[in-house]
Amino acid sequence: MPLTQQDISREIAERSRAYTEAGQIQHHPARDYVPYRSSLLRHPKQPLVTVQDPEAVELSGPVFGRTDVTELDPDLTGQHPGEPLGERITVTGRVLDRDGRPVRGQLVEVWQANASGRYAHQRDRHPAPLDPNFTGIGRCLTDDEGGYRFTTIKPGAYPWRNHGNAWRPAHIHFSLFGNAFAQRLVTQMYFPGDPLFAYDPILQSVTDPAARNRLVAAYEHDLSVPEWSLGYRWDIVLDGPAATWIEEGH
Amino acid sequence: MLPTPSQTVGPFYGYALPFPQGGQIAPAGIALTGIAPAGPDARAITIHGHVHDGAGEPVPDALLEIWQPAPDGSRTGAPGSLRRDQTTGGYAGRDGVTFTGFGRVATDPDGSYAFQTLSPGGVPYLSVCVFARGLLHHLFTRIYLPLPGVDWESDPLLAGLDPDRRRTLIAEPVAERVYRFDVHLQGDKETVFLDFR
Ligand SMILES: [Fe+3]
């Protein structure tokens, strides 16, 4: 029998309760989160091996520069001859390390579904319309304050096949580089007040409520542009070994 | 400050993250002419393998990122991995001379991947970050190369692993300058994954 939302919601509640009882703060999702069925065969069962080596290559990382992005890349609404359908938005914020220092000149990549909740990806079979004026890919380099800014449209919610009647809340996928490879982060940004939050095993895989809140952007009226777009702010803090945020970086 | 949590890369990153020549870390110009940038051997090596899940099935939607020192041991990297074409806005491909130290390859439908690079200077390993649908948090591992004169006991990570686990991190030579490295996300042959503190 296919799993229902009730089954999944019960598992989510169980994991949430177990997290509270354990009383230890976890900022990241566990890799084995049963309600997200794809994690079952794809998480290691052996504990991770800790590396505390000041000479580790992972304490340095790739760099990107002006040859790696074009000026049009941060505007996902300007990549086709016509305007995409949907609610035009600006998403902006800063990329910081755990010491609060800006991550400068690093690559931020985003991808998302269109306003109807469909990805411009061959394997996305959701019967919602593709938008010939929207691909859903953007990238930029952070500025001297660690700032990034994208102009895009608000993505739609979409169904997926984790269980019966499974819907993802609207989200934008983000990929971030820090000053060290060990700070690498791929994550998702959500929109405030989405009624699907409680039902979504991917968001709920972050069992700490405060950490989960950090995945939700803030609507900021001063970022909205009259007669043009709505503004959201989302700051990102990269995790990583202490060595990457205690020493003076570059 | 408290970190932003990780979330899965999902199934649909394919048109956003991979880029042409993502696996061509070895600059074509240097590799073809055999001009050593500073290292002992500037000829390209190929590393390939499969990514498997806990049932032994291929993972057709994994993304591997590679980061490594240049052959001269420098770890500064260089821009230009995703070099863009100013006329079309598309990818121009790497410039053929710059060693950026960074590569990115997606697995094929059969779970296979391949990339070309130059041997890293100063260390016998390449750093790898694995992303996939189903992985809520990426996984770090390393590809150790059985290069001449390398002593595993002198490596701080390998020295502390028992032989069965250690074996999962060492690439197997399969032909001249070609190595095989499989990633097992789970199971008997589960790869050693790393946590940097
Ligand atoms: Fe998505």
Side-chain angles (χ1 to χ4, degrees):
Chain A
M1 213 176 81
L3 287 156
T4 65
Q5 180 69 53
Q6 284 75 8
D7 298 326
I8 295 296
S9 290
R10 191 180 330 107
E11 292 176 1
I12 288 173
E14 279 164 16
R15 285 294 289 256
S16 174
R17 203 175 313 118
Y19 173 73
T20 308
E21 279 165 12
Q24 200 181 356
I25 291 180
Q26 303 283 348
H27 296 304
H28 293 286
R31 289 180 178 82
D32 62 332
Y33 188 70
V34 177
Y36 178 32
R37 284 300 189 263
S38 299
S39 76
L40 288 177
L41 286 168
R42 292 185 170 195
H43 70 273
K45 295 195 170 175
Q46 302 272 353
L48 301 188
V49 174
T50 298
V51 177
Q52 261 179 315
D53 174 7
E55 300 300 315
V57 164
E58 292 82 358
L59 299 182
S60 59
V63 296
F64 302 90
R66 55 202 248 189
T67 56
D68 294 306
V69 293
T70 72
E71 281 167 20
L72 289 176
D73 284 339
D75 183 358
L76 287 75
T77 68
Q79 297 168 356
H80 298 275
E83 285 282 331
L85 294 171
E87 186 182 313
R88 191 182 296 105
I89 61 172
T90 300
V91 179
T92 187
R94 297 172 76 203
V95 183
L96 306 167
D97 66 16
R98 289 201 60 175
D99 215 25
R101 291 172 311 162
V103 172
R104 301 187 172 99
Q106 268 300 1
L107 183 67
V108 181
E109 297 163 285
V110 295
W111 69 103
Q112 62 168 90
N114 69 22
S116 308
R118 175 93 182 258
Y119 284 91
H121 189 292
Q122 185 172 268
R123 291 218 328 276
D124 185 355
R125 302 321 296 165
H126 176 33
L130 285 165
D131 184 342
N133 292 314
F134 191 74
T135 306
I137 309 169
R139 59 179 77 73
C140 71
L141 298 177
T142 54
D143 63 22
D144 277 353
E145 281 75 52
Y148 73 87
R149 172 183 291 263
F150 292 102
T151 302
T152 183
I153 52 99
K154 189 176 177 190
Y158 61 82
W160 61 309
R161 298 201 173 140
N162 188 67
H163 54 277
N165 207 17
W167 290 84
R168 294 295 331 277
H171 60 275
I172 299 177
H173 293 267
F174 272 72
S175 158
L176 303 130
F177 289 86
N179 299 316
F181 200 45
Q183 290 176 292
R184 190 81 177 86
L185 177 69
V186 165
T187 187
Q188 302 179 24
M189 184 205 96
Y190 298 85
F191 291 85
D194 194 316
L196 291 169
F197 285 166
Y199 304 97
D200 179 36
I202 292 183
L203 176 60
Q204 297 298 329
S205 71
V206 181
T207 46
D208 184 76
R212 213 156 54 227
N213 266 335
R214 296 198 291 276
L215 291 175
V216 183
Y219 171 71
E220 197 168 306
H221 199 63
D222 286 346
L223 284 175
S224 293
V225 180
E227 318 291 323
W228 184 249
S229 66
L230 294 174
Y232 290 89
R233 184 177 298 282
W234 190 51
D235 292 334
I236 299 154
V237 178
L238 301 183
D239 211 344
T244 61
W245 48 281
I246 288 171
E247 289 169 29
E248 193 50 46
H250 50 105
Chain B
M1 299 188 80
L2 300 176
T4 304
S6 169
Q7 292 270 269
T8 179
V9 76
F12 297 137
Y13 61 81
Y15 64 97
L17 298 183
F19 52 91
Q21 298 183 20
Q24 191 61 48
I25 308 170
I30 291 172
L32 289 174
T33 58
I35 300 165
D41 190 342
R43 286 180 298 161
I45 57 174
T46 297
I47 297 168
H48 71 103
H50 286 74
V51 181
H52 297 280
D53 70 12
E57 293 297 317
V59 176
D61 49 10
L63 184 77
L64 270 59
E65 288 185 347
I66 296 98
W67 164 243
Q68 63 163 102
D72 67 3
S74 64
R75 300 178 180 189
T76 54
S81 298
L82 293 78
R83 199 168 64 100
R84 309 303 298 288
D85 185 314
Q86 296 186 68
T87 305
T88 65
Y91 290 102
R94 297 174 189 257
D95 69 6
V97 291
T98 305
F99 187 86
T100 70
F102 177 69
R104 181 187 271 170
V105 288
T107 52
D108 281 331
D110 63 351
S112 67
Y113 74 91
F115 62 92
Q116 281 78 42
T117 190
L118 304 176
S119 294
V123 293
Y125 64 86
L126 316 175
S127 184
V128 178
C129 189
V130 183
F131 302 91
R133 174 180 63 86
L135 262 183
L136 286 158
H137 198 168
H138 56 258
L139 288 165
F140 286 110
T141 187
R142 285 177 177 175
I143 300 174
Y144 278 82
L145 297 168
L147 299 169
V150 171
D151 169 23
W152 298 142
E153 297 301 331
S154 68
D155 181 85
L157 169 61
L158 292 191
L161 295 175
D162 68 60
D164 268 5
R165 298 280 284 148
R166 178 191 290 185
R167 203 172 299 131
T168 70
L169 295 181
I170 301 173
E172 176 197 358
V174 289
E176 173 87 16
R177 315 193 64 73
V178 179
Y179 300 88
R180 181 177 175 126
F181 184 85
D182 291 333
V183 176
H184 294 269
L185 296 176
Q186 192 185 84
D188 293 348
K189 291 183 270 185
E190 187 175 303
T191 302
V192 169
F193 296 106
L194 307 173
D195 184 23
F196 297 96
R197 294 276 173 83

